[in-house]
Amino acid sequence: MKPFIKFFSSLELAIACMVLGLILIFIGTLDQVNLGIHGATERYFYTFFVYWNIPNTEIAIPYFPGGYTLGFVLLTNLVTALFVRFKYSWKKVGVLMVHFGVITLLLGELITSMMQTDSAMIIDEGSSSNFSEDRQITELAIIDHSHSSETDRVYAFPQTMLEAKQDARHEDLPFTVSVNQYMPNALIQRRDENAPAEALIANKGLGLQVYAKPIPKTGKMDDVNRTTAMLTIFDDSGQVVGTWLASLGFTAQEFTFEGKRYSLEIRRKRYYYPFEIALIDFSHDRYLGTNIPMNFSSDIKLTHEERGEEREFLIYMNHPLRYNGLTFFQSGFANEDTTTILQVVSNPGRHLPYISCILIFAGLTVQFGQGLFSFAGRRAKKP
Amino acid sequence: MKKRLPAIIAVSFLLLYFISNYMKQSPRTEIDYTTFGNTPVHLNGRIQPLDSVARNALLGIRYKRSFLNDEGKKTSAIVWLAEVMMRPDLAHERPVFRIQDEDIRSLLKLPKKPSTRSKVMIALVGPGTEHFYFSFNEIAPSLKVISEQAQKASELEDAQRSRFQKAIIQLARALSNYTGLTQSLHHGQVASFSQEVKDLEAFAPEGIRAVNNRQIGADYDEETFNQMMSIGFLYQGFEQSSNLLTLPTIDSNGEFEWNKTSFLLRQVLSQGQASEIVRSYASVVDAYRIEDAAAFNENVLALHADLKAVDPSLVSDAGVEQLFNFIEPFYIAAAGYVMAFLAVIISWVRWPDRLNQAAFAIVCACAVIHTVGIIFRIYIIGYAPVINLYSSAVFVGWGAVLLAIILEALYKNSIGNATASIIGFSTLLVAHHLSTTGDTLEMLRAVLDNNFWLATHVIIITLGYSATFLAGSIGFIFILMSVLSNRIDKGIARTLGNMVYGIICFATLFSFVGTILGGIWADQSWGRFWGWDPKENGALLIVIWNAIILHSRWGGFAKTRGIMMLAIFGNVVFSWSWFGTNMLGIGLHAYGFMDEAFTYLAAFMLLQVMVIAIGAIPTRFWKSQIG
């Protein structure tokens, strides 16, 4: 046990982690040119190992520790060192603070990477919204229009079910949706004589006019991954109702089953809230005589009926709305400045970096301040 | 007194240079170009003097802030701008468009020009470095080809454009900027601007009547109506092609409103007459055209009086920026750093104490000038000092120089002077090359427009960069000096080791806190503390590297030599974070994409690695015995 603890608390291990981290961050940054920021983050930082895919095979060989591995080892190293190696005295208080700060920082990033959700709420001037859409994750929505005259009933199935080609089934639905084919990203093309054989199985809806060609997933900021799936619906007796092609960006495709109207679509995963946000006005100022944006702002009204809350708020750059554990940021705009795009972030770990910033700043100042004083003292003693 | 003599002589020499450079800025002509250059206009989202407009425009066209007059003498940009705005026919003949791309020259069938350089010069600086200048009239026949090619090139993403395509886009931009300037004060369709204003004022009531009558279906004079229409068309074109806002007014809310010169037509139509500012501008243009220097000078003063009537600070604030242009603080400081470096080098051979004192005096004087330049920029733009890559270069140098001055004051061993002068000069040189894209005093996009974070996160992290660079530079000098000379002994080596250690502590503190503050800004502004953006990763690399150095020292894994070598590698990490990350052209921080600079960056990194390799030579082969 002893050599084990010694190894895990050693300074050598800390330095090794830092050197490996340095290399990992460097190659990860370089690969952002190919994968985009999100793609590279998933491949290098939010992973235990960085894999190399042998070309033309499905075999992936881990060749470098990923961000999680290095983070965990460094965290273990720090914590064991705090118990085993660190000397607790007033002289060391600066060093201790810094290392507690680093631990907080690592934990904060861990929580963020696992629990942060990031979605967009899009509101037109004069209308309101009570949901936001995820930027990355999609879902399969089956909508029952016959439920009542005013509202539809929506059955949403997560993207992971599509990925695993799991059948989508719900006790209130009289049919089962099975996934024939799943594409994380696709190029939509007109269905003509060049269309491959597997595209021809679509016999309902938009799949009659177009087909999807699988392309690699992109992690670039401005590119969209068009999640696409070939879906076959079976009735309860196992009879085929039809096969649809669904893709992110398609309008909902309607069909009738046993006299009831339904539609299906792949859409961005939605988060619904118990409150509503209405956009009163969006403004976008530019510097005189230029196209450089000077300010964007959304004048909004938040209504929470259950709590009987209603208030107006101006969201603008560096001035988000914080409500119910969520933060609403001004992120973009559309439709000639009449639609606002608010970024909705929920991150339970968001306060940790503030704590670590204070700890590290104070710790480093104390530590180096001590060094500076003793240096000045030595110089003063010299003749 | 005698001891200080070299220092006094050196600083006086720098002062003389400063004064003579300042004197050169005002052209010695009958026409008072200096006062004309002080005239405030609105461009790129901010109020600036015509002098700045001239310098930046010429920089975008000729890649220099001055041009050669008929006698081949270097002349201030404002002289050129006056001609462009008021006598474009003459300006069109001036060879100011620099076209370096051979493919463009042959595409445009531009005439071959005889070399302006002597054979000796070409042998010295190498062939292919020659500059080729053409006049607007020489380029004019190919304007259509240029705009077509530029259109095609601009449809591509920047990274996919070829060298030719980048150059043609730049040329198209320069041409559009140039023609815009020729249409900024007057459209040039009639000889006398003042007469035109008078005629317009006289004609307006009649013209308005004709238009109104036609609208309500009453009798109207066909010829008057047509005349009115053609004036409208003329002014519409004038409005579209001009790119300067020249006419300020204060609106009912007490806020500035700026309009182009063509706005005078609306003034005449709605109020019956043009404003005083328009009349003064018209008189200035006319006086220039008939080459009446006295009238020109008088009318420029009248124009300034009219502008002061709108707001007294307009002319004086423009004057501050003109003064900043005239004293060229960063240029003077760069020259001074070279002087200081020479003094240090000579001091290693002869008169060590006195020359080192002189070098210290120059470095301090340069630091003052450097500071003055930064203060000017803060005053003019109203933001904290670092707003773009250019100003970060100026500031990184400034921070490192100040730290090096402290080291020199403490240790008096000339290493502080040497690093201060090298870093001061090289960062200002980098800044100079970053400034060729035009106005470096730019307005900030909404997301960055926040002085609190600019003053905390950006300043702190930039100082962290400064300190990292300083530590690396000291390591660089240490390795070279101890391998190649016998000037370093055990004591000096230990002192230098302590110096570098102290600076790296400082660098760690500033880069760490600066990086986290950046994360907090990001959390406040767009909801994520850390986004793995290239620039953020770059900053993190610096923090990690500095932490590695400190832990290696505490763990006893690296002694003086090792720390020095690690510190030099810090320069590689620093230059990657500072420039390399921007070259990737992705992420929220990609505010300055440069590709030519890549070669220089690679060369810089290679040089650091080479010196590290030299440091790896066993110490018994070193000329200095460091223990």
Side-chain angles (χ1 to χ4, degrees), chain B residues 58 61 67-68 70 77 79-97 134-138 178-179 181-182 288:
Chain B
L58 203 50
I61 292 171
F67 74 110
L68 302 179
D70 297 334
V79 178
W80 167 79
L81 182 70
E83 196 176 74
V84 170
M85 293 199 299
M86 298 183 279
R87 287 293 304 274
D89 51 324
L90 295 181
H92 287 347
E93 289 294 332
R94 289 209 186 277
V96 288
F97 286 88
F134 301 91
S135 71
F136 181 78
N137 282 345
E138 284 172 309
Y178 174 83
T179 46
L181 287 173
T182 62
Y288 185 86

Side-chain angles (χ1 to χ4, degrees), chain A residues 124-181:
Chain A
D124 296 327
E125 268 178 0
S127 64
S128 61
S129 171
N130 67 343
F131 67 89
S132 60
E133 296 181 318
D134 199 282
R135 289 183 183 254
Q136 308 289 345
I137 307 167
T138 56
E139 63 189 11
L140 168 66
I142 307 287
I143 304 152
D144 176 359
H145 297 287
S146 64
H147 186 66
S148 84
S149 56
E150 282 128 43
T151 52
D152 296 332
R153 174 168 279 187
V154 179
Y155 303 87
F157 301 96
Q159 182 180 313
T160 45
M161 282 179 74
L162 296 177
E163 283 166 8
K165 294 189 181 169
Q166 251 176 314
D167 286 355
R169 208 191 313 242
H170 190 275
E171 54 190 35
D172 292 349
L173 281 177
F175 50 76
T176 306
V177 185
S178 100
V179 184
N180 302 78
Q181 200 187 0

Side-chain angles (χ1 to χ4, degrees), chain A residues 87-97 363 366-367 370:
Chain A
K87 291 176 184 69
Y88 291 83
S89 71
W90 279 112
K91 260 180 96 177
K92 293 281 173 193
V93 71
V95 178
L96 281 169
M97 282 165 86
V366 169
Q367 175 65 16
Q370 279 173 351

Side-chain angles (χ1 to χ4, degrees), chain A residues 28-297:
Chain A
T29 312
L30 279 187
D31 213 9
Q32 288 180 341
V33 176
N34 306 317
L35 301 176
I37 291 183
H38 181 76
T41 303
E42 300 282 308
R43 188 183 152 109
Y44 292 91
F45 308 136
Y46 291 169
T47 174
F48 282 97
F49 287 101
V50 184
Y51 293 93
W52 178 65
N53 287 323
I54 299 173
N56 305 324
T57 62
E58 301 249 316
I59 308 164
I61 302 173
Y63 70 94
F64 206 84
Y68 279 155
T69 308
L70 289 178
F72 278 125
V73 175
L74 196 59
L75 201 59
T76 320
N77 174 265
L78 273 168
V79 175
T80 43
L82 280 176
F83 283 112
V84 182
R85 212 159 43 77
F86 274 63
K87 291 176 184 69
Y88 291 83
S89 71
W90 279 112
K91 260 180 96 177
K92 293 281 173 193
V93 71
V95 178
L96 281 169
M97 282 165 86
V98 174
H99 289 87
F100 273 114
V102 174
I103 291 174
T104 327
L105 203 59
L106 286 171
L107 285 177
E109 182 56 18
L110 179 69
I111 294 174
T112 302
S113 75
M114 319 241 307
M115 300 178 70
Q116 170 162 299
T117 62
D118 188 352
S119 54
M121 184 182 268
I122 302 168
I123 324 170
D124 296 327
E125 268 178 0
S127 64
S128 61
S129 171
N130 67 343
F131 67 89
S132 60
E133 296 181 318
D134 199 282
R135 289 183 183 254
Q136 308 289 345
I137 307 167
T138 56
E139 63 189 11
L140 168 66
I142 307 287
I143 304 152
D144 176 359
H145 297 287
S146 64
H147 186 66
S148 84
S149 56
E150 282 128 43
T151 52
D152 296 332
R153 174 168 279 187
V154 179
Y155 303 87
F157 301 96
Q159 182 180 313
T160 45
M161 282 179 74
L162 296 177
E163 283 166 8
K165 294 189 181 169
Q166 251 176 314
D167 286 355
R169 208 191 313 242
H170 190 275
E171 54 190 35
D172 292 349
L173 281 177
F175 50 76
T176 306
V177 185
S178 100
V179 184
N180 302 78
Q181 200 187 0
Y182 171 77
M183 306 172 204
N185 191 11
L187 200 66
I188 304 300
Q189 285 173 332
R190 180 168 289 282
R191 183 165 153 181
D192 51 20
E193 61 272 19
N194 298 326
E198 65 262 28
L200 303 178
I201 62 165
N203 57 13
K204 291 279 166 72
L206 288 166
L208 292 168
Q209 288 136 43
V210 294
Y211 75 96
K213 200 172 127 185
I215 53 171
K217 228 176 141 173
T218 168
K220 291 190 180 164
M221 253 208 250
D222 303 327
D223 296 353
V224 180
N225 282 311
R226 295 190 66 139
T227 311
T228 302
M230 188 72 86
L231 305 166
T232 300
I233 296 183
F234 295 93
D235 65 14
D236 284 345
S237 62
Q239 288 292 316
V240 174
V241 177
T243 302
W244 278 263
L245 178 71
S247 177
L248 184 66
F250 281 8
T251 50
Q253 303 177 60
E254 261 191 47
F255 61 93
T256 323
F257 182 75
E258 291 175 354
K260 286 182 173 180
R261 267 173 60 236
Y262 294 93
S263 56
L264 65 86
E265 67 174 323
I266 289 182
R267 62 182 194 189
R268 296 185 182 282
K269 185 180 172 189
R270 291 188 178 178
Y271 303 94
Y272 284 91
Y273 306 111
F275 51 86
E276 222 176 49
I277 291 182
L279 178 64
I280 300 167
D281 184 40
F282 176 76
S283 38
H284 178 190
D285 309 322
R286 297 172 174 86
Y287 288 105
L288 184 62
T290 69
N291 265 327
I292 308 173
M294 187 162 79
N295 192 27
F296 313 104
S297 60

Side-chain angles (χ1 to χ4, degrees), chain B residues 348 408 413-420 474 477 481 488 496 499:
Chain B
W348 289 343
E408 184 65 35
N413 57 8
S414 81
I415 298 292
N417 283 338
T419 40
I474 294 176
I477 292 175
M481 276 177 86
I488 308 287
L496 288 177
M499 274 163 78

Side-chain angles (χ1 to χ4, degrees), chain B residues 377 381 383-389 391 440-442 444 448 454:
Chain B
R377 282 182 59 95
I381 196 85
Y383 289 128
V386 183
I387 53 171
N388 48 22
L389 207 55
S391 46
T440 60
L441 287 157
E442 49 195 343
L444 287 176
L448 299 175
L454 282 176

